[in-house]
Short mmCIF file of all heavy atoms in Angstrom, two decimals:
data_model
loop_
_atom_site.label_atom_id
_atom_site.label_comp_id
_atom_site.label_asym_id
_atom_site.label_seq_id
_atom_site.Cartn_x
_atom_site.Cartn_y
_atom_site.Cartn_z
N MET A 28 6.91 -11.58 14.49
CA MET A 28 6.31 -10.36 13.93
C MET A 28 5.39 -9.66 14.92
O MET A 28 4.79 -8.65 14.62
CB MET A 28 5.52 -10.70 12.65
CG MET A 28 6.39 -10.81 11.42
SD MET A 28 6.97 -9.20 10.84
CE MET A 28 5.51 -8.61 9.94
N GLY A 29 5.21 -10.23 16.12
CA GLY A 29 4.37 -9.59 17.13
C GLY A 29 2.90 -9.88 16.99
O GLY A 29 2.09 -9.27 17.66
N PHE A 30 2.52 -10.80 16.12
CA PHE A 30 1.12 -11.12 15.94
C PHE A 30 0.73 -12.42 16.66
O PHE A 30 -0.36 -12.93 16.48
CB PHE A 30 0.76 -11.24 14.46
CG PHE A 30 0.99 -9.97 13.70
CD1 PHE A 30 1.71 -9.96 12.52
CD2 PHE A 30 0.49 -8.76 14.18
CE1 PHE A 30 1.91 -8.77 11.82
CE2 PHE A 30 0.68 -7.57 13.50
CZ PHE A 30 1.40 -7.58 12.32
N VAL A 31 1.62 -12.95 17.45
CA VAL A 31 1.35 -14.19 18.17
C VAL A 31 0.19 -13.97 19.14
O VAL A 31 0.12 -12.98 19.84
CB VAL A 31 2.62 -14.67 18.93
CG1 VAL A 31 2.34 -15.96 19.70
CG2 VAL A 31 3.77 -14.88 17.96
N GLY A 32 -0.72 -14.90 19.14
CA GLY A 32 -1.88 -14.77 20.03
C GLY A 32 -3.11 -14.25 19.31
O GLY A 32 -4.21 -14.35 19.82
N TYR A 33 -2.93 -13.71 18.13
CA TYR A 33 -4.07 -13.25 17.35
C TYR A 33 -4.71 -14.44 16.65
O TYR A 33 -4.05 -15.41 16.32
CB TYR A 33 -3.64 -12.22 16.31
CG TYR A 33 -3.35 -10.86 16.88
CD1 TYR A 33 -2.17 -10.60 17.55
CD2 TYR A 33 -4.30 -9.83 16.76
CE1 TYR A 33 -1.92 -9.34 18.08
CE2 TYR A 33 -4.06 -8.58 17.30
CZ TYR A 33 -2.86 -8.34 17.96
OH TYR A 33 -2.61 -7.12 18.48
N GLY A 34 -5.98 -14.32 16.39
CA GLY A 34 -6.70 -15.39 15.71
C GLY A 34 -6.34 -15.47 14.24
O GLY A 34 -5.70 -14.57 13.69
N LYS A 35 -6.73 -16.57 13.62
CA LYS A 35 -6.46 -16.81 12.21
C LYS A 35 -7.09 -15.73 11.32
O LYS A 35 -6.49 -15.28 10.37
CB LYS A 35 -7.01 -18.19 11.83
CG LYS A 35 -6.12 -18.93 10.87
CD LYS A 35 -6.67 -20.32 10.61
CE LYS A 35 -5.75 -21.08 9.66
NZ LYS A 35 -6.23 -22.44 9.44
N ARG A 36 -8.29 -15.35 11.68
CA ARG A 36 -9.01 -14.35 10.88
C ARG A 36 -8.28 -13.00 10.89
O ARG A 36 -8.20 -12.33 9.88
CB ARG A 36 -10.43 -14.16 11.41
CG ARG A 36 -11.44 -15.02 10.68
CD ARG A 36 -12.81 -14.86 11.29
NE ARG A 36 -13.30 -13.48 11.15
CZ ARG A 36 -14.30 -12.98 11.87
NH1 ARG A 36 -14.92 -13.72 12.75
NH2 ARG A 36 -14.68 -11.74 11.70
N ILE A 37 -7.79 -12.64 12.06
CA ILE A 37 -7.09 -11.37 12.19
C ILE A 37 -5.77 -11.41 11.41
O ILE A 37 -5.42 -10.48 10.72
CB ILE A 37 -6.88 -11.00 13.69
CG1 ILE A 37 -8.23 -10.62 14.31
CG2 ILE A 37 -5.87 -9.85 13.84
CD1 ILE A 37 -8.25 -10.51 15.81
N ARG A 38 -5.09 -12.57 11.52
CA ARG A 38 -3.84 -12.73 10.78
C ARG A 38 -4.08 -12.59 9.28
O ARG A 38 -3.30 -11.99 8.56
CB ARG A 38 -3.21 -14.08 11.09
CG ARG A 38 -1.84 -13.88 11.68
CD ARG A 38 -1.00 -15.09 11.94
NE ARG A 38 -1.64 -16.37 11.85
CZ ARG A 38 -1.92 -17.15 12.89
NH1 ARG A 38 -1.65 -16.74 14.10
NH2 ARG A 38 -2.44 -18.33 12.71
N LYS A 39 -5.19 -13.14 8.82
CA LYS A 39 -5.55 -13.06 7.41
C LYS A 39 -5.83 -11.61 7.00
O LYS A 39 -5.43 -11.16 5.94
CB LYS A 39 -6.76 -13.95 7.10
CG LYS A 39 -6.63 -14.50 5.72
CD LYS A 39 -7.81 -15.27 5.26
CE LYS A 39 -7.71 -15.36 3.74
NZ LYS A 39 -9.00 -15.57 3.13
N ALA A 40 -6.52 -10.91 7.87
CA ALA A 40 -6.82 -9.50 7.61
C ALA A 40 -5.54 -8.68 7.53
O ALA A 40 -5.41 -7.80 6.67
CB ALA A 40 -7.73 -8.96 8.69
N ILE A 41 -4.59 -8.99 8.40
CA ILE A 41 -3.31 -8.29 8.39
C ILE A 41 -2.57 -8.57 7.08
O ILE A 41 -2.00 -7.67 6.48
CB ILE A 41 -2.46 -8.69 9.62
CG1 ILE A 41 -3.08 -8.09 10.89
CG2 ILE A 41 -1.01 -8.22 9.48
CD1 ILE A 41 -2.58 -8.69 12.19
N GLN A 42 -2.64 -9.80 6.62
CA GLN A 42 -2.01 -10.16 5.35
C GLN A 42 -2.62 -9.40 4.18
O GLN A 42 -1.92 -8.97 3.27
CB GLN A 42 -2.16 -11.67 5.09
CG GLN A 42 -1.13 -12.49 5.84
CD GLN A 42 -1.42 -13.99 5.75
OE1 GLN A 42 -2.34 -14.42 5.07
NE2 GLN A 42 -0.64 -14.77 6.46
N GLU A 43 -3.94 -9.22 4.23
CA GLU A 43 -4.63 -8.47 3.18
C GLU A 43 -4.16 -7.03 3.15
O GLU A 43 -3.89 -6.47 2.09
CB GLU A 43 -6.16 -8.51 3.42
CG GLU A 43 -6.80 -9.83 3.03
CD GLU A 43 -6.59 -10.18 1.55
OE1 GLU A 43 -6.92 -9.35 0.70
OE2 GLU A 43 -6.07 -11.27 1.28
N ILE A 44 -4.05 -6.42 4.32
CA ILE A 44 -3.59 -5.04 4.44
C ILE A 44 -2.16 -4.94 3.92
O ILE A 44 -1.82 -4.04 3.16
CB ILE A 44 -3.68 -4.55 5.91
CG1 ILE A 44 -5.15 -4.42 6.33
CG2 ILE A 44 -2.97 -3.21 6.09
CD1 ILE A 44 -5.38 -4.30 7.82
N ASP A 45 -1.34 -5.90 4.30
CA ASP A 45 0.05 -5.95 3.90
C ASP A 45 0.18 -6.02 2.37
O ASP A 45 1.01 -5.36 1.77
CB ASP A 45 0.69 -7.17 4.55
CG ASP A 45 2.19 -7.00 4.68
OD1 ASP A 45 2.60 -5.93 5.17
OD2 ASP A 45 2.92 -7.91 4.30
N LYS A 46 -0.66 -6.84 1.78
CA LYS A 46 -0.67 -7.02 0.34
C LYS A 46 -1.00 -5.70 -0.36
O LYS A 46 -0.35 -5.31 -1.32
CB LYS A 46 -1.72 -8.07 -0.03
CG LYS A 46 -1.24 -9.07 -1.06
CD LYS A 46 -2.06 -10.33 -1.05
CE LYS A 46 -3.42 -10.15 -1.73
NZ LYS A 46 -4.25 -11.36 -1.62
N LYS A 47 -2.00 -5.01 0.16
CA LYS A 47 -2.40 -3.72 -0.41
C LYS A 47 -1.31 -2.67 -0.22
O LYS A 47 -1.09 -1.83 -1.08
CB LYS A 47 -3.69 -3.24 0.25
CG LYS A 47 -4.91 -3.94 -0.29
CD LYS A 47 -6.16 -3.44 0.39
CE LYS A 47 -7.39 -4.13 -0.16
NZ LYS A 47 -8.59 -3.76 0.62
N ALA A 48 -0.63 -2.76 0.92
CA ALA A 48 0.41 -1.78 1.23
C ALA A 48 1.63 -1.96 0.32
O ALA A 48 2.33 -1.01 0.02
CB ALA A 48 0.81 -1.88 2.69
N LYS A 49 1.88 -3.21 -0.12
CA LYS A 49 3.07 -3.49 -0.92
C LYS A 49 2.84 -3.43 -2.42
O LYS A 49 3.78 -3.44 -3.20
CB LYS A 49 3.63 -4.85 -0.53
CG LYS A 49 4.39 -4.73 0.78
CD LYS A 49 4.87 -6.07 1.27
CE LYS A 49 5.60 -5.90 2.59
NZ LYS A 49 5.60 -7.11 3.37
N LYS A 50 1.58 -3.41 -2.78
CA LYS A 50 1.19 -3.40 -4.17
C LYS A 50 1.53 -2.06 -4.86
O LYS A 50 1.58 -1.03 -4.21
CB LYS A 50 -0.33 -3.61 -4.17
CG LYS A 50 -0.96 -3.93 -5.46
CD LYS A 50 -2.45 -4.13 -5.22
CE LYS A 50 -3.19 -3.76 -6.49
NZ LYS A 50 -4.64 -3.80 -6.32
N ALA A 51 1.76 -2.11 -6.16
CA ALA A 51 1.97 -0.88 -6.92
C ALA A 51 0.63 -0.43 -7.49
O ALA A 51 -0.16 -1.25 -7.95
CB ALA A 51 2.96 -1.11 -8.04
N TYR A 52 0.39 0.86 -7.41
CA TYR A 52 -0.87 1.39 -7.89
C TYR A 52 -0.66 2.29 -9.10
O TYR A 52 0.44 2.79 -9.33
CB TYR A 52 -1.56 2.18 -6.77
CG TYR A 52 -2.09 1.30 -5.67
CD1 TYR A 52 -1.26 0.91 -4.63
CD2 TYR A 52 -3.39 0.84 -5.70
CE1 TYR A 52 -1.74 0.08 -3.62
CE2 TYR A 52 -3.88 0.02 -4.71
CZ TYR A 52 -3.05 -0.36 -3.66
OH TYR A 52 -3.52 -1.18 -2.69
N LYS A 53 -1.73 2.50 -9.82
CA LYS A 53 -1.67 3.33 -11.02
C LYS A 53 -1.55 4.80 -10.64
O LYS A 53 -2.30 5.30 -9.81
CB LYS A 53 -2.93 3.10 -11.87
CG LYS A 53 -2.83 3.74 -13.23
CD LYS A 53 -4.09 3.43 -14.04
CE LYS A 53 -4.08 4.21 -15.34
NZ LYS A 53 -5.32 3.97 -16.11
N CYS A 54 -0.59 5.46 -11.26
CA CYS A 54 -0.35 6.88 -10.99
C CYS A 54 -1.41 7.74 -11.68
O CYS A 54 -1.61 7.61 -12.88
CB CYS A 54 1.04 7.24 -11.49
SG CYS A 54 1.41 8.98 -11.31
N PRO A 55 -2.07 8.62 -10.93
CA PRO A 55 -3.09 9.48 -11.54
C PRO A 55 -2.47 10.53 -12.46
O PRO A 55 -3.15 11.12 -13.28
CB PRO A 55 -3.77 10.16 -10.35
CG PRO A 55 -3.23 9.51 -9.13
CD PRO A 55 -1.94 8.85 -9.50
N SER A 56 -1.17 10.73 -12.33
CA SER A 56 -0.49 11.75 -13.12
C SER A 56 0.04 11.20 -14.45
O SER A 56 -0.21 11.76 -15.50
CB SER A 56 0.64 12.34 -12.28
OG SER A 56 1.43 13.19 -13.05
N CYS A 57 0.78 10.08 -14.41
CA CYS A 57 1.37 9.54 -15.64
C CYS A 57 0.71 8.25 -16.11
O CYS A 57 1.10 7.70 -17.14
CB CYS A 57 2.87 9.35 -15.46
SG CYS A 57 3.29 8.07 -14.27
N SER A 58 -0.25 7.74 -15.34
CA SER A 58 -1.03 6.54 -15.69
C SER A 58 -0.22 5.24 -15.72
O SER A 58 -0.70 4.23 -16.19
CB SER A 58 -1.74 6.71 -17.04
OG SER A 58 -2.70 7.72 -16.91
N ARG A 59 0.99 5.27 -15.19
CA ARG A 59 1.77 4.04 -15.12
C ARG A 59 1.59 3.40 -13.74
O ARG A 59 1.41 4.11 -12.75
CB ARG A 59 3.24 4.32 -15.40
CG ARG A 59 3.50 4.43 -16.90
CD ARG A 59 4.91 4.83 -17.19
NE ARG A 59 5.13 6.23 -16.83
CZ ARG A 59 6.15 6.98 -17.28
NH1 ARG A 59 7.03 6.46 -18.10
NH2 ARG A 59 6.29 8.22 -16.90
N VAL A 60 1.66 2.09 -13.69
CA VAL A 60 1.51 1.40 -12.41
C VAL A 60 2.86 1.45 -11.69
O VAL A 60 3.70 0.59 -11.83
CB VAL A 60 1.03 -0.05 -12.62
CG1 VAL A 60 0.83 -0.76 -11.28
CG2 VAL A 60 -0.30 -0.06 -13.38
N ALA A 61 3.07 2.54 -10.98
CA ALA A 61 4.38 2.76 -10.35
C ALA A 61 4.29 3.46 -9.01
O ALA A 61 5.28 3.88 -8.46
CB ALA A 61 5.25 3.57 -11.30
N VAL A 62 3.08 3.57 -8.48
CA VAL A 62 2.92 4.25 -7.19
C VAL A 62 3.13 3.25 -6.06
O VAL A 62 2.43 2.24 -5.97
CB VAL A 62 1.54 4.94 -7.06
CG1 VAL A 62 1.35 5.56 -5.68
CG2 VAL A 62 1.38 6.00 -8.14
N LYS A 63 4.12 3.54 -5.24
CA LYS A 63 4.44 2.66 -4.11
C LYS A 63 4.35 3.43 -2.81
O LYS A 63 4.58 4.63 -2.75
CB LYS A 63 5.87 2.12 -4.27
CG LYS A 63 6.01 1.12 -5.41
CD LYS A 63 5.57 -0.25 -4.99
CE LYS A 63 6.51 -1.32 -5.50
NZ LYS A 63 6.34 -2.56 -4.77
N ARG A 64 4.08 2.68 -1.74
CA ARG A 64 3.96 3.29 -0.42
C ARG A 64 5.34 3.66 0.13
O ARG A 64 6.24 2.83 0.15
CB ARG A 64 3.26 2.28 0.49
CG ARG A 64 2.96 2.77 1.87
CD ARG A 64 2.15 1.71 2.58
NE ARG A 64 2.03 2.01 4.00
CZ ARG A 64 2.91 1.60 4.92
NH1 ARG A 64 3.92 0.86 4.58
NH2 ARG A 64 2.74 1.93 6.18
N LEU A 65 5.47 4.89 0.58
CA LEU A 65 6.72 5.33 1.20
C LEU A 65 6.64 5.14 2.71
O LEU A 65 7.54 4.62 3.34
CB LEU A 65 6.96 6.82 0.92
CG LEU A 65 7.56 7.23 -0.43
CD1 LEU A 65 7.88 8.71 -0.39
CD2 LEU A 65 8.83 6.46 -0.74
N SER A 66 5.55 5.62 3.28
CA SER A 66 5.28 5.45 4.70
C SER A 66 3.78 5.60 4.89
O SER A 66 3.06 5.75 3.92
CB SER A 66 6.05 6.48 5.52
OG SER A 66 5.64 7.78 5.18
N ASN A 67 3.32 5.57 6.11
CA ASN A 67 1.89 5.67 6.38
C ASN A 67 1.26 6.89 5.71
O ASN A 67 1.58 8.02 6.05
CB ASN A 67 1.64 5.77 7.90
CG ASN A 67 1.55 4.40 8.52
OD1 ASN A 67 1.87 3.40 7.88
ND2 ASN A 67 1.12 4.34 9.77
N GLY A 68 0.38 6.66 4.75
CA GLY A 68 -0.34 7.74 4.11
C GLY A 68 0.45 8.50 3.05
O GLY A 68 -0.06 9.42 2.46
N VAL A 69 1.70 8.10 2.82
CA VAL A 69 2.51 8.78 1.81
C VAL A 69 2.89 7.80 0.71
O VAL A 69 3.48 6.75 0.97
CB VAL A 69 3.78 9.43 2.41
CG1 VAL A 69 4.54 10.22 1.34
CG2 VAL A 69 3.43 10.34 3.57
N TRP A 70 2.56 8.15 -0.51
CA TRP A 70 2.80 7.30 -1.67
C TRP A 70 3.58 8.08 -2.71
O TRP A 70 3.42 9.29 -2.83
CB TRP A 70 1.45 6.85 -2.25
CG TRP A 70 0.61 6.09 -1.27
CD1 TRP A 70 -0.09 6.61 -0.21
CD2 TRP A 70 0.39 4.68 -1.22
NE1 TRP A 70 -0.72 5.59 0.47
CE2 TRP A 70 -0.44 4.40 -0.13
CE3 TRP A 70 0.83 3.62 -2.04
CZ2 TRP A 70 -0.85 3.10 0.18
CZ3 TRP A 70 0.41 2.33 -1.73
CH2 TRP A 70 -0.41 2.09 -0.63
N GLN A 71 4.42 7.39 -3.46
CA GLN A 71 5.18 8.09 -4.48
C GLN A 71 5.22 7.30 -5.77
O GLN A 71 5.40 6.08 -5.77
CB GLN A 71 6.61 8.35 -4.01
CG GLN A 71 7.41 9.18 -5.02
CD GLN A 71 8.82 9.49 -4.55
OE1 GLN A 71 9.46 8.69 -3.90
NE2 GLN A 71 9.29 10.68 -4.87
N CYS A 72 5.10 8.01 -6.88
CA CYS A 72 5.23 7.40 -8.20
C CYS A 72 6.70 7.30 -8.54
O CYS A 72 7.43 8.28 -8.45
CB CYS A 72 4.49 8.24 -9.24
SG CYS A 72 4.75 7.63 -10.91
N ARG A 73 7.14 6.12 -8.91
CA ARG A 73 8.56 5.91 -9.21
C ARG A 73 8.93 6.41 -10.59
O ARG A 73 10.11 6.49 -10.92
CB ARG A 73 8.89 4.42 -9.09
CG ARG A 73 8.74 3.99 -7.66
CD ARG A 73 9.30 2.62 -7.46
NE ARG A 73 9.43 2.37 -6.03
CZ ARG A 73 9.96 1.27 -5.53
NH1 ARG A 73 10.40 0.34 -6.32
NH2 ARG A 73 10.05 1.11 -4.24
N LYS A 74 7.95 6.70 -11.40
CA LYS A 74 8.22 7.20 -12.75
C LYS A 74 8.33 8.72 -12.76
O LYS A 74 9.33 9.27 -13.21
CB LYS A 74 7.13 6.74 -13.72
CG LYS A 74 7.05 5.24 -13.88
CD LYS A 74 8.26 4.67 -14.61
CE LYS A 74 8.18 3.15 -14.65
NZ LYS A 74 9.43 2.54 -15.09
N CYS A 75 7.30 9.39 -12.25
CA CYS A 75 7.32 10.86 -12.32
C CYS A 75 7.66 11.50 -10.98
O CYS A 75 7.73 12.72 -10.88
CB CYS A 75 6.01 11.39 -12.89
SG CYS A 75 4.55 10.99 -11.93
N ARG A 76 7.91 10.68 -9.97
CA ARG A 76 8.40 11.16 -8.66
C ARG A 76 7.40 12.01 -7.87
O ARG A 76 7.77 12.62 -6.86
CB ARG A 76 9.71 11.96 -8.82
CG ARG A 76 10.84 11.14 -9.39
CD ARG A 76 11.50 10.33 -8.30
NE ARG A 76 12.31 9.25 -8.87
CZ ARG A 76 12.65 8.17 -8.18
NH1 ARG A 76 12.27 8.03 -6.95
NH2 ARG A 76 13.36 7.24 -8.73
N ILE A 77 6.17 12.05 -8.32
CA ILE A 77 5.16 12.81 -7.59
C ILE A 77 4.78 12.06 -6.31
O ILE A 77 4.70 10.83 -6.31
CB ILE A 77 3.92 13.06 -8.50
CG1 ILE A 77 4.22 14.16 -9.50
CG2 ILE A 77 2.68 13.40 -7.67
CD1 ILE A 77 3.08 14.47 -10.45
N LYS A 78 4.58 12.82 -5.24
CA LYS A 78 4.16 12.22 -3.99
C LYS A 78 2.70 12.49 -3.75
O LYS A 78 2.19 13.56 -4.08
CB LYS A 78 4.98 12.78 -2.82
CG LYS A 78 6.35 12.16 -2.72
CD LYS A 78 7.10 12.69 -1.51
CE LYS A 78 8.53 12.17 -1.50
NZ LYS A 78 9.31 12.78 -0.40
N PHE A 79 2.03 11.51 -3.16
CA PHE A 79 0.61 11.64 -2.88
C PHE A 79 0.34 11.33 -1.41
O PHE A 79 1.00 10.48 -0.83
CB PHE A 79 -0.22 10.63 -3.70
CG PHE A 79 0.03 10.69 -5.17
CD1 PHE A 79 0.95 9.83 -5.75
CD2 PHE A 79 -0.65 11.59 -5.95
CE1 PHE A 79 1.18 9.87 -7.13
CE2 PHE A 79 -0.43 11.63 -7.32
CZ PHE A 79 0.48 10.78 -7.91
N ALA A 80 -0.65 12.00 -0.87
CA ALA A 80 -1.15 11.65 0.46
C ALA A 80 -2.41 10.84 0.24
O ALA A 80 -3.30 11.25 -0.49
CB ALA A 80 -1.44 12.90 1.26
N SER A 81 -2.46 9.65 0.83
CA SER A 81 -3.64 8.81 0.67
C SER A 81 -3.84 7.98 1.93
O SER A 81 -3.25 8.28 2.96
CB SER A 81 -3.49 7.93 -0.57
OG SER A 81 -4.70 7.30 -0.88
N ALA A 82 -4.67 6.95 1.82
CA ALA A 82 -4.90 6.08 2.97
C ALA A 82 -3.58 5.42 3.39
O ALA A 82 -2.69 5.24 2.57
CB ALA A 82 -5.93 5.03 2.62
N ALA A 83 -3.47 5.07 4.64
CA ALA A 83 -2.22 4.53 5.20
C ALA A 83 -1.74 3.27 4.49
O ALA A 83 -0.55 3.12 4.23
CB ALA A 83 -2.38 4.28 6.69
N PHE A 84 -2.66 2.35 4.16
CA PHE A 84 -2.23 1.06 3.61
C PHE A 84 -2.79 0.75 2.24
O PHE A 84 -2.63 -0.35 1.74
CB PHE A 84 -2.61 -0.06 4.59
CG PHE A 84 -1.94 0.10 5.92
CD1 PHE A 84 -2.66 0.49 7.03
CD2 PHE A 84 -0.58 -0.12 6.06
CE1 PHE A 84 -2.06 0.66 8.27
CE2 PHE A 84 0.04 0.05 7.28
CZ PHE A 84 -0.69 0.43 8.37
N GLU A 85 -3.46 1.71 1.65
CA GLU A 85 -4.07 1.45 0.35
C GLU A 85 -4.10 2.76 -0.43
O GLU A 85 -4.48 3.79 0.12
CB GLU A 85 -5.50 0.92 0.55
CG GLU A 85 -6.15 0.49 -0.71
CD GLU A 85 -7.53 -0.13 -0.46
OE1 GLU A 85 -7.97 -0.12 0.71
OE2 GLU A 85 -8.15 -0.59 -1.40
N PHE A 86 -3.71 2.71 -1.69
CA PHE A 86 -3.68 3.95 -2.46
C PHE A 86 -5.02 4.21 -3.12
O PHE A 86 -5.55 3.36 -3.82
CB PHE A 86 -2.58 3.90 -3.52
CG PHE A 86 -2.46 5.20 -4.28
CD1 PHE A 86 -1.98 6.33 -3.65
CD2 PHE A 86 -2.86 5.28 -5.60
CE1 PHE A 86 -1.90 7.54 -4.34
CE2 PHE A 86 -2.76 6.47 -6.29
CZ PHE A 86 -2.29 7.60 -5.66
N ARG A 87 -5.55 5.38 -2.86
CA ARG A 87 -6.79 5.80 -3.54
C ARG A 87 -6.53 7.16 -4.17
O ARG A 87 -6.09 8.08 -3.50
CB ARG A 87 -7.94 5.95 -2.53
CG ARG A 87 -8.31 4.62 -1.92
CD ARG A 87 -9.51 4.78 -1.01
NE ARG A 87 -9.44 3.83 0.09
CZ ARG A 87 -9.38 4.18 1.36
NH1 ARG A 87 -9.40 5.44 1.69
NH2 ARG A 87 -9.31 3.28 2.29
N SER A 88 -6.78 7.23 -5.44
CA SER A 88 -6.57 8.51 -6.13
C SER A 88 -7.86 9.29 -6.27
O SER A 88 -8.92 8.73 -6.14
CB SER A 88 -5.93 8.27 -7.49
OG SER A 88 -6.70 7.37 -8.22
ZN1 ZN B 293 3.54 9.00 -12.19
#
């Protein structure tokens, strides 16, 4: 994965970011937990198809 040589703490931090990036978030439009990351800073609700611009690895409405 290209993280060889990094310390344990950094690897853990990367895992945390990864977890947040893969998690589904609550849609501010339809209130369903269906917002997923499309790419860096772009999130989309799978229910109402609305796209949001937010933080790269974490959705903030
Ligand atoms: Zn929605």
Side-chain angles (χ1 to χ4, degrees):
M28 278 287 280
F30 299 130
V31 179
Y33 284 78
K35 218 176 181 177
R36 265 177 63 197
I37 289 168
R38 239 185 350 251
K39 213 186 162 204
I41 289 164
Q42 279 171 4
E43 283 301 306
I44 291 165
D45 204 49
K46 224 160 76 184
K47 282 179 179 173
K49 282 175 181 156
K50 192 178 152 186
Y52 289 86
K53 190 178 172 183
C54 176
S56 172
C57 67
S58 294
R59 280 174 288 198
V60 182
V62 176
K63 290 279 222 162
R64 184 174 170 271
L65 279 188
S66 61
N67 273 11
V69 184
W70 301 75
Q71 185 178 36
C72 175
R73 294 191 167 184
K74 297 291 176 192
C75 61
R76 298 278 163 201
I77 283 179
K78 281 183 186 174
F79 306 95
S81 190
F84 299 108
E85 186 176 4
F86 183 69
R87 295 184 212 119
S88 54

